[in-house]
């Protein structure tokens, strides 16, 4: 075969569909910058302002889709399958509690509505960022890889910026390092979750920060150091558990044999708590004020019991409020067992309790709880719990399918990494909802929800599968 024939055979033949496809557009800066900026803004702006920004973004995206008259693509349908359970929970809560508006409890009713709607807005906003990048990257594999890497880099840089803000407290006030854990948290507050998400992303792309996160290895190492320091100095048990479990998942702990490995992780956690209880007396002052001491008191704090008095209520508040909420739910009629008491429902504490630094704000009735599952049960009943569990399971299954893909090459590795990240998001959302309010917190889990929505945008192979080049399909 002559050289001319070799050159002709080596030519790439484009299909009609490829020729009609528009060229890849430049990556939109707003979609690249917005995640990182939102993570920082969540630490300095009121939660309501951040929710308003998310809502505005989602409304504009929805108006664009409806105005174009286009049908939902596969990724948008995937997002809808995750949002529909949450939307159904809102419908149940509104239907069961709507009469409270006329009874003068409009504030409590609307407050619950906001808590339930907020995670939907954050998920949808994250999806908008990811979907915009995918649309701009079109069908060019190299352009798609760049879009994904730079998009995830925004989350890492945003988490690192939040970590720096957190660590500045200790730089300007080094005496904080000698304080007890509870005193530090009281002085600098909580909600430093964005650095934990950055740690998970850096762990998921360990060894390949330049390809997966568009970060030079020295910058990735510096970000990992800053974010890990922030997680440690937050002195948060929930944050520590979420970070450790999330790192295990993104490294592949749940790709296979999930049930067995989750059981082993739970057993390891129980053994660790038992070991701490041997070393630290659960009733000592150290157990009530130190970081590891608080871990030793987990059984007392979480066990539902309303037969407590005085300081016992304060020390075991999660268990006390859970017991009162379960009593409220059980006292209802069968319809309330199934559908809850609706938005605006208040649970009687059986006493006045100081729940804020202001001594005048002693409360006898409370609308929200530390245990997110109990919150869902009181407001939307067993049906709401089933819907929420369905949403988490849907997220996990989507991630597991991607994590188990067998496609070779860089594209397949990217899918597997993103699938493990989505698995980690589902598992950490489930864990944080059980030991803390989780997705129903004001803005603490914004980083995790934004990334979850971002990961639901099309993966490269899925986006290219419908109209791939003819030679790629042969």
């Amino acid at each position: 075969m002559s050289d001319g024939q070799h050159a002709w055979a080596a030519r790439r033949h484009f299909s009609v569909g490829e020729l009609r496809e528009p060229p890849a557009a430049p990556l939109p800066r707003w979609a690249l910058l917005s995640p990182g900026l939102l993570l920082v803004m969540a630490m300095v702006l009121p939660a309501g302002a951040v929710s308003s920004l998310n809502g505005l973004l989602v409304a504009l995206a929805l108006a664009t889709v409806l105005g174009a008259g286009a049908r939902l693509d596969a990724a948008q349908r995937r997002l809808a399958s995750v949002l529909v359970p949450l939307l159904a929970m809102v419908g149940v809560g509104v239907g069961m509690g709507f009469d409270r508006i006329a009874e003068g409890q409009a504030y409590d009713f609307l407050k619950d509505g906001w808590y339930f709607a907020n995670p939907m807005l954050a998920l949808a906003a994250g999806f908008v960022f990811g979907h915009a990048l995918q649309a701009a990257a079109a069908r060019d594999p190299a352009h798609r890889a760049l879009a994904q890497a730079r998009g995830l880099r925004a989350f890492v840089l945003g988490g690192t910026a939040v970590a720096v803000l957190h660590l500045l407290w200790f730089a300007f006030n080094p005496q904080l390092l000698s304080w007890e854990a509870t005193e530090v948290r009281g002085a600098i507050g909580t909600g430093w979750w964005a650095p934990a998400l950055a740690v998970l992303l850096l762990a998921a792309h360990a060894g390949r920060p330049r390809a997966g996160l568009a970060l030079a290895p020295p910058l990735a190492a510096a970000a990992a150091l800053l974010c890990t320091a922030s997680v440690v100095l937050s002195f948060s048990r929930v944050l520590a558990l979420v970070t450790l479990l999330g790192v295990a998942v993104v490294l592949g702990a749940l790709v296979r044999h999930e049930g067995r490995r989750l059981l082993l992780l739970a057993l390891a956690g129980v053994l660790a708590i038992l070991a701490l209880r041997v070393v630290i007396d659960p009733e000592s002052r150290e157990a009530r004020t130190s970081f590891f001491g608080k871990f030793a008191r987990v059984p007392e704090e979480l066990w539902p019991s309303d037969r407590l008095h005085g300081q016992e209520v304060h020390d075991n508040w999660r268990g006390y409020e859970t017991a009162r909420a379960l009593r409220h739910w059980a006292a209802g009629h069968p319809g309330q067992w199934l559908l809850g008491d609706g938005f605006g429902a208040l649970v009687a504490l059986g006493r006045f309790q100081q729940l804020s630094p202001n001594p005048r704000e002693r409360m006898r009735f409370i609308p929200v709880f530390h245990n997110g599952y109990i919150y869902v049960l009181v407001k939307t009943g067993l049906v709401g719990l089933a819907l929420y569990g369905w949403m988490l399971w849907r997220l996990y299954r989507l991630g597991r399918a991607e994590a188990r893909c067998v496609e070779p090459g860089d594209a397949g590795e990217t899918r597997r990494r993103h699938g493990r990240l989505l698995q980690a998001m589902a598992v950490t959302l489930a864990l944080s909802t059980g030991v803390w309010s989780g997705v129903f917190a004001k803005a603490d889990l914004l980083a995790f929800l934004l990334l979850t929505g971002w990961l639901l945008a099309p993966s490269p192979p899925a986006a290219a599968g419908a109209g791939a080049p003819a030679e790629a399909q042969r």
Side-chain angles (χ1 to χ4, degrees), residues 249-324:
V249 175
V250 300
L251 293 180
L254 299 184
V255 173
R256 305 285 179 183
H257 311 297
E258 300 103 315
R260 183 189 311 169
R261 292 180 178 181
L262 279 174
L263 183 61
L264 288 175
L265 288 172
L267 180 60
V270 171
L271 291 176
I273 290 175
L274 291 176
L276 283 173
R277 291 173 70 87
V278 172
V279 177
I280 302 175
D281 180 8
E283 300 304 321
S284 65
R285 183 178 183 279
E286 179 186 4
R288 289 173 168 80
T289 58
S290 69
F291 177 68
F292 289 107
K294 298 283 282 184
F295 265 113
R297 296 200 76 256
V298 163
E300 285 82 2
E301 288 191 29
L302 296 184
W303 185 259
S305 174
D306 59 355
R307 299 182 180 278
L308 304 174
H309 304 281
Q311 185 64 27
E312 288 180 323
V313 175
H314 180 271
D315 293 338
N316 308 297
W317 176 249
R318 282 179 169 85
Y320 183 84
E321 67 173 9
T322 296
R324 298 301 302 185

Side-chain angles (χ1 to χ4, degrees), residues 12-22 139 466-471 473-474:
R12 183 180 177 201
H13 297 278
F14 294 94
S15 66
V16 175
E18 284 184 283
L19 294 173
R20 290 178 177 176
E21 198 66 35
R139 299 181 188 278
E471 68 273 15
Q473 294 179 7
R474 286 196 294 265

